[in-house]
Amino acid sequence: MQLIDPILQFHTELQQIRRDIHAHPELSFEEHRTSDVVARKLQEWGIPVIRGLGITGGVGIIKNGSSQRAIGLRADIDALPMQEFNTFPHASKNEGKMHACGHDGHTAMLLGAAHYLSQHKEFDGTVYVIFQPAEEGGGGAKRMMDDGLFEQCPVEAVFGMHNWPGAAVGSFGVTSGPMMASSNEFEVVVKGKGAHAAQPHKGIDPIMVAVQIAQSWQTIITRNKSPLDTAVLSITQIHAGSATNVIPDEASLIGTVRGFTTSVVDLLENRMRAIAEHTAAAFDASVEFSFKRNYPPLINHARETAFAVDVMRSIVGDERVDAQVEPTMGAEDFAFMLQAKPGCYVFLGNGDGEHRDMGHGLGPCNLHNPSYDFNDDLLPIGATYWVRLAEAYLKNTSP
Ligand SMILES: [Zn+2]
Ligand SMILES: [Zn+2]
């Protein structure tokens, strides 16, 4: 691996930063301490900082030379509302909050790159290091953009990265085109008529209607969408009733829809609404149907992906870069940035969990698992990738 020597020598400090952030996790739009830590470090290294984009978001500005060209590198900084099972010294000190997605590591890797870039300015233009809040459901990327991110930081392209448990340390995975899914939530409330359970003929049973809707919806996946389009419709909650001898007034179905194109999500929403309304009508019931679009699909741009792949290969070698990695139905709000700017999002292998210190939980080292921990061996690899990407992008020649 062709890692940058001064970054390797900075590993202990990066590990301290990462573990400090891990020990003090903060939820979406509440990342005040984390944001302060990031801003303080950047300023210590002489990097000007814009703060308050998307409430707790911040951007460091590293300039060199006279070129107007600019690149954006983005890390997410938020944690999850869950209890950590690990008991090692840097385990969460904040009850019910945990860095179980490795955003502590993403933050530290980007700080490592910023530190190096501020000291070794081997590029011509501007590198914007973007520290984004609220990736876990809050849409912090969108909030930063709504607050003028790309007006204040006019980047030509923007790049993102996520650690990937199960993939070998030092390996990268990426693909051009759709790489992560659009995520959406729905809720349908079936309104029937309550009755004594021994006299069902005097009511309209909303549970029967809800069951019919639940079953019929799955035919959208098998009968309405093209077999070549990928989509998931999962009902994750069914709520109704409070007694064994009462037919309730209402029943609700709640869940998620995922897909790789906006058109397939449109199709699912329209068919779900039609099936819910017409099924309810057939039973003399009615429905309230709501469908909320969360994150769009994450679509990597071809040119920037090819560019990023070359950079990855130059660092870890051809055999450690999978340029056609299997997409995932998980979602990621970096997708909003890729709708506004060309760019590319990559996975960086986090290993199988052997790196965890004594005192880790008994669960696997998977994202969103209470026994997870970011692998500190990745810090110099991710930071080197960011640096080489920025340097190559901002060479005097066009990328
Ligand atoms: Zn996550
Ligand atoms: Zn994450």
Side-chain angles (χ1 to χ4, degrees), residues 37 80 85 100 102 159 167 195 219 284 297 300 303 305 328 331 341 369:
V37 167
L80 285 155
F85 284 179
F159 293 83
T219 65
D284 274 341
N300 276 334
R303 194 170 97 142
T305 302
T328 153
K341 298 284 178 181
N369 188 287

mmCIF file of all heavy atoms in Angstrom, residues 37 80 85 100 102 159 167 195 219 284 297 300 303 305 328 331 341 369:
data_model
loop_
_atom_site.group_PDB
_atom_site.id
_atom_site.type_symbol
_atom_site.label_atom_id
_atom_site.label_comp_id
_atom_site.label_asym_id
_atom_site.label_seq_id
_atom_site.Cartn_x
_atom_site.Cartn_y
_atom_site.Cartn_z
ATOM 1 N N VAL A 37 -15.070 20.223 18.258
ATOM 2 C CA VAL A 37 -13.787 19.508 18.174
ATOM 3 C C VAL A 37 -13.201 19.661 16.770
ATOM 4 O O VAL A 37 -12.022 19.987 16.589
ATOM 5 C CB VAL A 37 -13.970 18.006 18.524
ATOM 6 C CG1 VAL A 37 -12.734 17.195 18.142
ATOM 7 C CG2 VAL A 37 -14.277 17.833 20.020
ATOM 8 N N LEU A 80 -25.909 7.346 16.556
ATOM 9 C CA LEU A 80 -27.230 6.703 16.537
ATOM 10 C C LEU A 80 -27.849 6.638 17.935
ATOM 11 O O LEU A 80 -27.133 6.505 18.933
ATOM 12 C CB LEU A 80 -27.089 5.279 16.000
ATOM 13 C CG LEU A 80 -26.866 5.173 14.490
ATOM 14 C CD1 LEU A 80 -26.147 3.878 14.142
ATOM 15 C CD2 LEU A 80 -28.192 5.260 13.749
ATOM 16 N N PHE A 85 -22.801 -1.792 23.554
ATOM 17 C CA PHE A 85 -22.490 -2.967 24.377
ATOM 18 C C PHE A 85 -21.011 -3.037 24.734
ATOM 19 O O PHE A 85 -20.622 -3.790 25.621
ATOM 20 C CB PHE A 85 -22.872 -4.263 23.638
ATOM 21 C CG PHE A 85 -24.363 -4.553 23.615
ATOM 22 C CD1 PHE A 85 -24.837 -5.680 22.964
ATOM 23 C CD2 PHE A 85 -25.270 -3.718 24.247
ATOM 24 C CE1 PHE A 85 -26.207 -5.966 22.935
ATOM 25 C CE2 PHE A 85 -26.641 -3.995 24.230
ATOM 26 C CZ PHE A 85 -27.104 -5.123 23.562
ATOM 27 N N ALA A 100 -22.254 3.823 16.072
ATOM 28 C CA ALA A 100 -22.324 2.442 15.586
ATOM 29 C C ALA A 100 -22.290 2.372 14.068
ATOM 30 O O ALA A 100 -22.475 1.311 13.496
ATOM 31 C CB ALA A 100 -23.593 1.774 16.104
ATOM 32 N N GLY A 102 -19.708 4.291 12.461
ATOM 33 C CA GLY A 102 -18.336 4.665 12.111
ATOM 34 C C GLY A 102 -18.158 6.098 11.652
ATOM 35 O O GLY A 102 -17.119 6.444 11.096
ATOM 36 N N PHE A 159 -17.133 14.247 -3.176
ATOM 37 C CA PHE A 159 -16.844 12.829 -2.971
ATOM 38 C C PHE A 159 -17.178 12.428 -1.534
ATOM 39 O O PHE A 159 -17.026 13.225 -0.607
ATOM 40 C CB PHE A 159 -15.365 12.543 -3.269
ATOM 41 C CG PHE A 159 -15.020 12.725 -4.728
ATOM 42 C CD1 PHE A 159 -14.737 13.993 -5.233
ATOM 43 C CD2 PHE A 159 -15.016 11.641 -5.598
ATOM 44 C CE1 PHE A 159 -14.447 14.176 -6.588
ATOM 45 C CE2 PHE A 159 -14.727 11.814 -6.949
ATOM 46 C CZ PHE A 159 -14.445 13.080 -7.443
ATOM 47 N N ALA A 167 -15.702 -6.341 4.464
ATOM 48 C CA ALA A 167 -14.718 -6.201 3.384
ATOM 49 C C ALA A 167 -13.343 -6.011 4.022
ATOM 50 O O ALA A 167 -13.217 -5.405 5.092
ATOM 51 C CB ALA A 167 -15.061 -5.017 2.499
ATOM 52 N N ALA A 195 -66.720 -3.104 16.931
ATOM 53 C CA ALA A 195 -67.893 -3.903 17.330
ATOM 54 C C ALA A 195 -67.453 -4.910 18.393
ATOM 55 O O ALA A 195 -66.257 -5.092 18.649
ATOM 56 C CB ALA A 195 -68.459 -4.637 16.122
ATOM 57 N N THR A 219 -47.957 -8.086 -4.573
ATOM 58 C CA THR A 219 -48.088 -8.331 -6.023
ATOM 59 C C THR A 219 -47.541 -7.160 -6.841
ATOM 60 O O THR A 219 -47.277 -7.318 -8.025
ATOM 61 C CB THR A 219 -49.557 -8.586 -6.422
ATOM 62 O OG1 THR A 219 -50.322 -7.398 -6.183
ATOM 63 C CG2 THR A 219 -50.155 -9.755 -5.655
ATOM 64 N N ASP A 284 -66.248 -1.683 2.473
ATOM 65 C CA ASP A 284 -66.966 -0.559 3.096
ATOM 66 C C ASP A 284 -66.131 0.149 4.159
ATOM 67 O O ASP A 284 -66.678 0.777 5.075
ATOM 68 C CB ASP A 284 -68.288 -1.025 3.740
ATOM 69 C CG ASP A 284 -69.416 -1.042 2.726
ATOM 70 O OD1 ASP A 284 -69.269 -0.368 1.679
ATOM 71 O OD2 ASP A 284 -70.408 -1.744 2.977
ATOM 72 N N PRO A 297 -32.203 7.853 -4.534
ATOM 73 C CA PRO A 297 -31.164 6.857 -4.768
ATOM 74 C C PRO A 297 -29.795 7.536 -4.911
ATOM 75 O O PRO A 297 -29.716 8.667 -5.395
ATOM 76 C CB PRO A 297 -31.580 6.195 -6.084
ATOM 77 C CG PRO A 297 -32.536 7.136 -6.724
ATOM 78 C CD PRO A 297 -33.177 7.922 -5.630
ATOM 79 N N ASN A 300 -23.745 7.194 -8.494
ATOM 80 C CA ASN A 300 -22.376 7.653 -8.764
ATOM 81 C C ASN A 300 -22.242 8.063 -10.225
ATOM 82 O O ASN A 300 -22.753 7.396 -11.121
ATOM 83 C CB ASN A 300 -21.377 6.539 -8.458
ATOM 84 C CG ASN A 300 -21.001 6.489 -6.991
ATOM 85 O OD1 ASN A 300 -21.069 7.498 -6.275
ATOM 86 N ND2 ASN A 300 -20.592 5.309 -6.536
ATOM 87 N N ARG A 303 -17.783 9.515 -14.820
ATOM 88 C CA ARG A 303 -16.449 10.090 -14.986
ATOM 89 C C ARG A 303 -15.709 10.203 -13.644
ATOM 90 O O ARG A 303 -14.541 9.818 -13.521
ATOM 91 C CB ARG A 303 -16.582 11.485 -15.622
ATOM 92 C CG ARG A 303 -15.273 12.029 -16.145
ATOM 93 C CD ARG A 303 -15.522 13.283 -16.968
ATOM 94 N NE ARG A 303 -15.308 14.450 -16.136
ATOM 95 C CZ ARG A 303 -14.732 15.573 -16.566
ATOM 96 N NH1 ARG A 303 -14.335 15.671 -17.815
ATOM 97 N NH2 ARG A 303 -14.569 16.597 -15.759
ATOM 98 N N THR A 305 -16.339 8.521 -10.961
ATOM 99 C CA THR A 305 -16.090 7.183 -10.410
ATOM 100 C C THR A 305 -14.814 6.594 -11.031
ATOM 101 O O THR A 305 -13.967 6.053 -10.313
ATOM 102 C CB THR A 305 -17.296 6.260 -10.671
ATOM 103 O OG1 THR A 305 -18.455 6.856 -10.092
ATOM 104 C CG2 THR A 305 -17.080 4.883 -10.065
ATOM 105 N N THR A 328 -26.185 -1.715 -2.565
ATOM 106 C CA THR A 328 -26.912 -2.124 -1.361
ATOM 107 C C THR A 328 -28.246 -1.379 -1.298
ATOM 108 O O THR A 328 -28.356 -0.256 -1.804
ATOM 109 C CB THR A 328 -26.090 -1.856 -0.082
ATOM 110 O OG1 THR A 328 -26.978 -1.668 1.021
ATOM 111 C CG2 THR A 328 -25.229 -0.616 -0.214
ATOM 112 N N ALA A 331 -29.594 3.194 2.462
ATOM 113 C CA ALA A 331 -29.709 4.540 1.886
ATOM 114 C C ALA A 331 -28.698 5.466 2.549
ATOM 115 O O ALA A 331 -28.169 5.163 3.612
ATOM 116 C CB ALA A 331 -31.117 5.074 2.073
ATOM 117 N N LYS A 341 -24.218 17.894 -7.669
ATOM 118 C CA LYS A 341 -22.852 17.962 -8.208
ATOM 119 C C LYS A 341 -22.436 16.571 -8.669
ATOM 120 O O LYS A 341 -22.825 15.573 -8.071
ATOM 121 C CB LYS A 341 -21.872 18.415 -7.108
ATOM 122 C CG LYS A 341 -22.137 19.801 -6.554
ATOM 123 C CD LYS A 341 -21.670 20.870 -7.527
ATOM 124 C CE LYS A 341 -21.991 22.261 -6.965
ATOM 125 N NZ LYS A 341 -21.561 23.321 -7.912
ATOM 126 N N ASN A 369 -24.719 -2.279 14.808
ATOM 127 C CA ASN A 369 -24.741 -3.318 15.850
ATOM 128 C C ASN A 369 -24.137 -2.715 17.125
ATOM 129 O O ASN A 369 -23.145 -1.986 17.053
ATOM 130 C CB ASN A 369 -23.919 -4.531 15.390
ATOM 131 C CG ASN A 369 -24.066 -5.700 16.351
ATOM 132 O OD1 ASN A 369 -23.525 -5.681 17.456
ATOM 133 N ND2 ASN A 369 -24.819 -6.707 15.964
#
